Amino acid sequence: MVTSSPRYTHINRQFIMRVAQNELLRRSSIKDTIKATKNKIHQVAGAFVQSEMHYSEWLGSLKNATQTRNMVEFTKICQTIMRFHASTRERLPFLSGFYKQIFSSLPPIQSILDIACGFNPLAIPWMGLPTGIHYLAIDIFQDLVDFLSNYFALLPIQGHSESFDVIESIPTHPVDLAFILKTIPCLEQVDKLAGNRILDHLQAKYILISYPVRSLGGRSKGMQENYQIQFQKLIAGRGYQVKKYEYPTELVYLISTEYL
Ligand SMILES: C[S@@+](CC[C@H](N)C(=O)[O-])C[C@H]1O[C@@H](n2cnc3c(N)ncnc32)[C@H](O)[C@@H]1O
């Protein structure tokens, strides 16, 4: 019933089942459970993506730009695509400075895990990554990760993407850097311990965690202060070394676990 709705057909089934089971415990009727399940899935995933994605058209344009070696055109198309994901889109006005600042604070990186990636992998041309780097991107939208898989094939990197409910589990192979961008608040709407569990299991030398400082509607409502407190609770007792960066729509923490 939930999965037959066109908005949710591409969402990871295991994730939908988890949300539905949580909601069922709190509701007395199936009708209310379905409604609450749809609302929750909208809040944590559906609200970020446009209802119409133009995956085959975008892929055709990206292939064309690659074949004609037109990197200016390639990056322009990436920018256009990033506008179709509300969370990734917010980073566009400061994208170049964002990744310059982050990567200039890090040693050379050979592997990245992008958790709940949205369209962030479309920002790879701004990251200045070395050829052959391993990049694994995961999210709950099957159509989005299928598109990313075709996109990765056009880049000089070892890129992979998978549909993954990161509340259930995360990839635990060792990586140099993990991105968890503006995602922990979404996950914790479904499972309050999700952020803690990810940090317990992640095998990353560096972790970039960020929080939104405005809602999708544009209101800030003390979000920055709240998320600063939440972040401090999340990392309490973990012995991490942390650097903080502030961007107009994003509060960012670069964590080093390596010196331990
Ligand atoms: C706020 S967006 C952040 C997107 C991206 N990290 C960025 O900052 O550009 C949250 C993302 O988390 C994904 N998501 C939500 N719940 C998830 C789950 N349980 N497992 C994996 N991804 C999830 C959504 O589909 C969405 O793309």
Side-chain angles (χ1 to χ4, degrees), residues 26-207:
R26 297 193 208 125
R27 323 270 153 193
S28 50
S29 78
I30 295 291
K31 192 173 161 221
D32 285 352
T33 303
I34 292 174
K35 193 171 167 209
T37 301
K38 285 183 173 175
N39 280 343
K40 182 67 75 175
I41 293 171
H42 179 75
Q43 276 167 32
V44 304
F48 299 103
V49 294
Q50 302 264 320
S51 50
E52 248 187 272
M53 295 292 206
H54 310 283
Y55 289 125
S56 44
E57 184 191 322
W58 292 334
L59 196 61
S61 308
L62 287 168
K63 276 187 182 155
N64 197 31
T66 312
Q67 276 155 10
T68 55
R69 295 175 190 271
N70 189 342
M71 279 320 285
V72 174
E73 182 61 17
F74 190 91
T75 52
K76 265 193 203 160
I77 301 163
C78 290
Q79 271 178 320
T80 302
I81 302 170
M82 284 188 269
R83 289 201 179 91
F84 280 71
H85 192 291
S87 187
T88 310
R89 178 174 65 226
E90 286 179 346
R91 205 171 290 119
L92 281 173
F94 50 87
L95 187 62
S96 166
F98 181 92
Y99 281 115
K100 252 191 210 131
Q101 185 164 39
I102 300 307
F103 282 102
S104 67
S105 310
L106 290 168
I109 294 294
Q110 296 300 334
S111 51
I112 292 179
L113 170 62
D114 194 342
I115 293 180
C117 60
F119 274 157
N120 186 52
L122 272 298
I124 288 175
W126 285 262
M127 295 182 196
L129 303 176
T131 303
I133 187 174
H134 289 259
Y135 195 115
L136 174 60
I138 55 179
D139 202 287
I140 43 173
F141 283 95
Q142 186 65 54
D143 56 344
L144 184 149
V145 295
D146 288 346
F147 167 73
L148 289 178
S149 178
N150 289 316
Y151 156 77
F152 283 140
L154 302 174
L155 298 175
I157 65 164
Q158 303 276 327
H160 300 280
S161 48
E162 275 179 47
S163 165
F164 228 97
D165 171 11
V166 301
I167 295 175
E168 174 67 26
S169 63
I170 54 154
T172 52
H173 63 281
V175 290
D176 288 342
L177 174 64
F179 291 141
I180 315 179
L181 300 181
K182 292 195 281 181
T183 286
I184 290 176
C186 289
L187 303 179
E188 291 189 348
Q189 283 187 56
V190 177
D191 180 338
K192 292 217 174 330
L193 295 176
N196 265 298
R197 234 183 1 258
I198 289 177
L199 294 189
D200 286 347
H201 292 103
L202 199 57
Q203 299 285 326
K205 291 179 186 161
Y206 299 92
I207 310 171

Side-chain angles (χ1 to χ4, degrees), residues 221-253:
K221 307 177 284 189
M223 284 167 73
Q224 175 131 354
E225 296 71 22
N226 288 341
Y227 285 139
Q228 282 181 155
I229 297 168
Q230 276 194 30
F231 175 76
Q232 291 307 332
K233 282 190 188 154
L234 181 69
I235 62 154
R238 292 185 184 272
Y240 291 156
Q241 209 169 50
V242 177
K243 275 188 197 166
K244 176 176 153 188
Y245 305 92
E246 289 179 34
Y247 288 92
T249 53
E250 200 160 352
L251 170 66
V252 183
Y253 295 99

